[in-house]
Amino acid sequence: MANLLYPDENQEIIDLQGDWYVPYIIGDDGDYIRGFNLYLQERCTGRLLLSGETFTVAAKRPSSKTIHAIGHRLLNFTSWLYCYAAHPTEGLLNWADVQDWHVDVLYREAMVLGLWTEEYSWTGQKQPLDYDSSIGPRIKEVLASYRWMAAEGIIDKHRSYTPFSARQRAAAAARESLKAIVPSALQNHPLKRKFSRRTDPGDWSPLSREELKALLQCFKLRSVKFAFILYFATGMRLSELVDNSLLPGTIYERSREEQREAKFPEGPYLLRYDNQDYRMVGVIPNPEVVFAKDAPQLLPYRVLGKNKKIRKIWVLSSFLKKLWKYRLTTEGTAGSKSKLLLNTQGRAVTQRVIEYHIAEARKRAEVLLGRPIPVTPHVLRHTFACYFLEANIASAAVKTGLDPNNLTRKQIEDLGAEVIPVLQELLGHAYVEHTVRYLRQLANGRLGLQYLKVFAATIEEALDDDL
């Protein structure tokens, strides 16, 4: 798969025009996709509109969210170019050799039929993408990039014509080829799950315990170290962690966006730890609960995630004690008193600050270990999921008299099937099928805490004295 990367000031990148917030695309073979990257420089700095209108000086810079979306539209198409099965009659397509019908016939049809989705590759279930939100914007962006490249002389304006019959044969071959890459067992699987695209962390390998410990030693800002542990130990998304770390007993005013989309109260109000009151979503357990003599190993609190979905997560009480000791000795500025994690100036730590410090800690940890560490914020979320599954599958194996180190694929799948609904809930993922949703609710109600206790023991062992 191709990768969407953001430049580092220490890197020398071809054609970079001094804007470190514009991403660039690297192909599956490490090739720098020059045409798309030049287009991204113009499009993401506001010098080029999707309509094709150009400006000497930027008209209006797109938001970071829009830049991210533009980059991922071209990234998806680049990954399609590198997939031989998506266009077997054409072979591996180079970005400079693409014709309009490749985009408007082959690429479009693969998405319309649900054959070019992560849902299909993971489960074998065809889930056609929504045209207005996914297919249309991708097609428009890709075709606009090629019109711009042709106008700028980056590609040949006069490309060869492909007859209609040849295009039809290519489309038919692509359909059969894409169907053949998924095992028949998956294609006949009864569950149809809606799979949401995830941010690509670059390397899906989970971090080892040695890598985790090395990273923890290399954080200079204490609050970011705590953020790192909280991120890893709960599986929250980074944006969720930043927005859902509020202190009980403080006065807080939700943003206008939160008031509008999640219907939180307008104006300031007093926060308290209450898992029954929707207004208190994102408020961590209070000191009275955390420092109680009979405090359980894991304490719950609710967070607001993607698509305004509220879910419950669980945090080690031993770690919450450390968090409260840190926060009670740290003074925040007027606008940050309700935020758990602060920088050295007493202001709330932002998502960008956490990302920056994780990247800096990675560099120091790589020197410490003498090898690369593939860590990004999203890799921590993936590591949480892997540790959770591994710990609970091993525990279930022991209970049934099996050796956790010598499980067959079927045994791993059977033992993990019972855990998956709980993990999906913790991560904030959703199934479409009602029966699966009921299973998840049942698992959380009767088995969730049991699984979490097993997982908590693994987390405490992995982090050891760093809690």
Side-chain angles (χ1 to χ4, degrees):
M1 300 293 285
N3 289 291
L4 185 71
L5 306 173
Y6 283 82
D8 187 296
E9 293 186 21
N10 297 321
Q11 290 177 295
E12 290 187 9
I13 299 174
I14 304 170
D15 305 318
L16 183 66
Q17 299 178 20
D19 197 316
W20 303 103
Y21 300 102
V22 176
Y24 63 98
I25 298 173
I26 296 294
D28 189 38
D29 55 0
D31 187 27
Y32 180 84
I33 312 299
R34 185 170 183 268
F36 287 161
N37 291 332
L38 286 171
Y39 173 80
L40 283 171
Q41 284 284 328
E42 295 298 299
R43 178 89 162 87
C44 295
T45 52
R47 293 190 291 268
L48 173 68
L49 299 182
L50 190 58
S51 63
E53 188 176 1
T54 59
F55 303 90
T56 304
V57 179
K60 182 181 180 182
R61 182 189 178 87
S63 67
S64 58
K65 186 175 181 180
T66 300
I67 290 173
H68 187 74
I70 293 168
H72 272 279
R73 289 169 197 158
L74 296 180
L75 174 68
N76 185 272
F77 182 71
T78 304
S79 295
W80 180 85
L81 292 178
Y82 277 89
C83 180
Y84 178 84
H87 33 76
T89 62
E90 305 300 297
L92 291 178
L93 285 170
N94 184 283
W95 63 269
D97 299 327
V98 168
Q99 299 180 34
D100 285 354
W101 73 272
H102 289 145
V103 182
D104 217 16
V105 177
L106 299 185
Y107 182 51
R108 181 195 297 267
E109 184 176 84
M111 292 187 288
V112 169
L113 295 177
L115 298 173
W116 185 248
T117 65
E118 284 181 292
E119 167 74 16
Y120 180 67
S121 65
W122 280 83
T123 70
Q125 302 300 318
K126 288 180 261 186
Q127 293 281 356
L129 297 174
D130 181 74
Y131 194 90
D132 291 335
S133 63
S134 296
I135 299 175
R138 288 178 185 177
I139 296 293
K140 289 178 182 177
E141 198 72 61
V142 172
L143 291 177
S145 72
Y146 277 101
R147 286 195 300 271
W148 178 82
M149 284 188 270
E152 295 295 327
I154 299 170
I155 59 174
D156 187 3
K157 290 183 180 180
H158 307 289
R159 286 172 282 177
S160 59
Y161 172 75
T162 302
F164 176 76
S165 58
R167 299 199 299 268
Q168 291 295 93
R169 286 195 299 271
R175 287 194 296 272
E176 294 306 312
S177 179
L178 285 171
K179 289 176 182 177
I181 65 175
V182 175
S184 57
L186 274 181
Q187 293 180 13
N188 297 326
H189 198 282
L191 291 179
K192 293 186 177 181
R193 298 187 291 216
K194 180 63 179 176
F195 187 87
S196 300
R197 176 174 59 81
R198 307 288 173 228
T199 304
D200 182 9
D203 186 337
W204 281 105
S205 300
L207 297 173
S208 67
R209 286 173 171 80
E210 183 185 24
E211 290 169 336
L212 280 169
K213 288 181 178 292
L215 286 163
L216 286 166
Q217 293 175 31
C218 294
F219 283 104
K220 292 186 175 180
L221 193 60
R222 195 178 176 201
S223 58
V224 176
K225 180 178 179 179
F226 282 133
F228 180 92
I229 297 174
L230 187 60
Y231 196 6
F232 163 64
T234 62
M236 279 193 286
R237 299 175 180 88
L238 185 54
S239 58
E240 293 172 349
L241 186 150
V242 171
D243 295 337
N244 292 275
S245 300
L246 301 173
L247 298 180
T250 60
I251 303 295
Y252 185 64
E253 183 174 4
R254 303 279 182 173
S255 68
R256 290 185 179 274
E257 184 179 3
E258 288 177 312
Q259 292 173 11
R260 182 178 66 254
E261 295 186 0
K263 297 182 180 179
F264 283 113
E266 295 183 6
Y269 64 99
L270 180 66
L271 298 178
R272 68 177 187 276
Y273 174 57
D274 186 344
N275 283 323
Q276 305 302 317
D277 189 340
Y278 85 94
R279 298 173 299 172
M280 304 305 160
V281 167
V283 180
I284 69 170
N286 56 36
E288 291 76 16
V289 173
V290 172
F291 290 96
K293 289 183 179 180
D294 58 347
Q297 184 184 28
L298 291 148
L299 286 168
Y301 81 97
R302 299 193 304 165
V303 298
L304 181 68
K306 289 178 65 175
N307 301 319
K308 298 177 287 185
K309 179 184 176 183
I310 296 174
R311 71 180 190 277
K312 187 182 291 184
I313 65 168
W314 299 76
V315 187
L316 290 164
S317 57
S318 57
F319 179 54
L320 284 168
K321 289 177 183 177
K322 292 287 186 182
L323 281 175
W324 270 110
K325 288 177 181 177
Y326 146 77
R327 191 58 180 84
L328 291 171
T329 58
T330 306
E331 185 63 33
T333 58
S336 305
K337 289 186 181 294
S338 295
K339 295 288 186 175
L340 170 65
L341 302 170
L342 307 177
N343 61 21
T344 53
Q345 285 77 44
R347 297 187 179 90
V349 168
T350 64
Q351 182 174 332
R352 185 176 294 277
V353 167
I354 295 173
E355 290 173 336
Y356 170 79
H357 281 276
I358 288 177
E360 291 298 301
R362 185 204 71 206
K363 294 175 186 177
R364 292 188 284 271
E366 287 176 342
V367 173
L368 196 64
L369 295 181
R371 67 171 187 268
I373 302 177
V375 61
T376 64
H378 201 71
V379 166
L380 284 178
R381 184 169 152 86
H382 177 63
T383 301
F384 162 84
C386 291
Y387 273 49
F388 186 90
L389 282 172
E390 182 182 4
N392 284 289
I393 288 173
S395 175
V398 172
K399 289 179 181 178
T400 54
L402 297 172
D403 182 356
N405 298 316
N406 293 289
L407 297 173
T408 66
R409 182 184 183 89
K410 187 176 187 306
Q411 287 171 336
I412 292 173
E413 290 176 349
D414 289 345
L415 293 171
E418 201 174 353
V419 187
I420 288 295
V422 181
L423 178 60
Q424 292 290 336
E425 179 68 19
L426 292 171
L427 292 173
H429 301 166
Y431 287 3
V432 173
E433 299 295 322
H434 288 183
T435 53
V436 179
R437 183 168 62 193
Y438 296 149
L439 175 61
R440 181 187 64 220
Q441 292 170 345
L442 177 64
N444 268 329
R446 297 187 179 180
L447 301 173
L449 191 56
Q450 173 188 333
Y451 291 136
L452 282 157
K453 286 179 177 178
V454 174
F455 171 63
T458 302
I459 288 294
E460 288 184 321
E461 179 186 347
L463 298 178
D464 200 15
D465 295 332
D466 290 298
L467 284 178

